[in-house]
Amino acid sequence: MQENKFNRILSFLLGASWAIVFFGALITFKLFAVLGIAIAFFATTTYLFISLFLILGLDAFAVNKQRLNEAKKQTKLLEKIYTKHTK
């Protein structure tokens, strides 16, 4: 049950993050467009760069959770093999 909640929360956060990146880039460009296209492009690119690193961090949580689950499965399997061969 905890696993399911974790996956739902992580999926929601990833989806919300992509929406924030998209609309944030649009808003950033419109805010800085008054100062010039070059400055607006630079500010938007900087915003996207930082935001994508934050999304990458969220994705790393999901990958590490999957790696932990696989390690648990492998540990159980190795314990079964060990107990079978030591008796």
Side-chain angles (χ1 to χ4, degrees), residues 51-86:
S51 299
L52 291 177
F53 267 113
L54 295 176
I55 289 177
L56 188 65
L58 281 174
D59 197 36
F61 281 124
V63 170
N64 284 333
K65 184 68 171 175
Q66 288 175 353
R67 187 184 311 159
L68 177 65
N69 289 338
E70 287 299 318
K72 286 181 181 179
K73 288 178 188 176
Q74 290 175 4
T75 302
K76 286 181 183 178
L77 182 62
L78 287 172
E79 286 174 350
K80 283 174 67 176
I81 292 171
Y82 178 75
T83 55
K84 182 178 178 182
H85 289 291
T86 54

Side-chain angles (χ1 to χ4, degrees), residues 10-83:
L10 195 59
S11 294
F12 174 75
L13 287 176
L14 279 170
S17 296
W18 279 108
I20 290 171
V21 166
F22 178 72
F23 289 115
L26 182 66
I27 291 169
T28 303
F29 186 80
K30 287 190 176 206
L31 283 175
F32 284 96
V34 229
L35 301 174
I37 297 295
I39 293 174
F41 182 74
F42 177 75
T44 305
T45 305
T46 305
Y47 173 80
L48 287 173
F49 188 72
I50 293 169
S51 299
L52 291 177
F53 267 113
L54 295 176
I55 289 177
L56 188 65
L58 281 174
D59 197 36
F61 281 124
V63 170
N64 284 333
K65 184 68 171 175
Q66 288 175 353
R67 187 184 311 159
L68 177 65
N69 289 338
E70 287 299 318
K72 286 181 181 179
K73 288 178 188 176
Q74 290 175 4
T75 302
K76 286 181 183 178
L77 182 62
L78 287 172
E79 286 174 350
K80 283 174 67 176
I81 292 171
Y82 178 75
T83 55

